[in-house]
Amino acid sequence: MLLSAANERQLSTVVEEIEYRLKQEDRRPLRREGSKESGWLVIDYGDVVVHAFGQEQRDFYGLERLWADAPRLEYDEAEHAGAPS
């Protein structure tokens, strides 16, 4: 998963929500690197790796180029609207 946020507060909130929801599914990260202050975080769940960036860092690192051949999964908000939070 690759995502970006407009500022440090949004980055922190998004990452906290991902961790919270996965914890509800009894999933714990294997590793966590970076910090909201640095503008990037990587959370490794084994089968899923979350790359979270501030927009400036996302533009700089350009991970889309590295993952250009990987399949893209689109998130359908309507499909997940009834999911427990």
Side-chain angles (χ1 to χ4, degrees), residues 4-23:
S4 57
N7 58 52
E8 187 178 301
R9 179 178 284 183
Q10 287 179 356
L11 183 63
S12 179
T13 300
V14 169
V15 168
E16 286 172 10
E17 184 67 15
I18 289 169
E19 290 178 318
Y20 172 78
R21 289 188 181 227
L22 288 171
K23 188 175 183 181

Side-chain angles (χ1 to χ4, degrees), residues 9-74:
R9 179 178 284 183
Q10 287 179 356
L11 183 63
S12 179
T13 300
V14 169
V15 168
E16 286 172 10
E17 184 67 15
I18 289 169
E19 290 178 318
Y20 172 78
R21 289 188 181 227
L22 288 171
K23 188 175 183 181
Q24 299 304 304
E25 299 294 323
D26 204 27
R27 301 282 310 268
R28 304 286 190 274
L30 302 173
R31 275 188 80 104
R32 183 181 176 157
E33 297 289 334
S35 68
K36 64 182 180 186
E37 294 82 16
S38 70
W40 67 272
L41 291 121
V42 177
I43 309 167
D44 182 357
Y45 286 93
D47 56 342
V48 174
V49 177
V50 177
H51 297 270
F53 293 95
Q55 192 59 54
E56 183 178 328
Q57 288 79 5
R58 184 171 180 171
D59 293 341
F60 177 79
Y61 288 108
L63 289 186
E64 286 85 352
R65 290 188 312 267
L66 297 174
W67 291 98
D69 294 335
R72 293 182 67 98
L73 301 174
E74 298 299 326

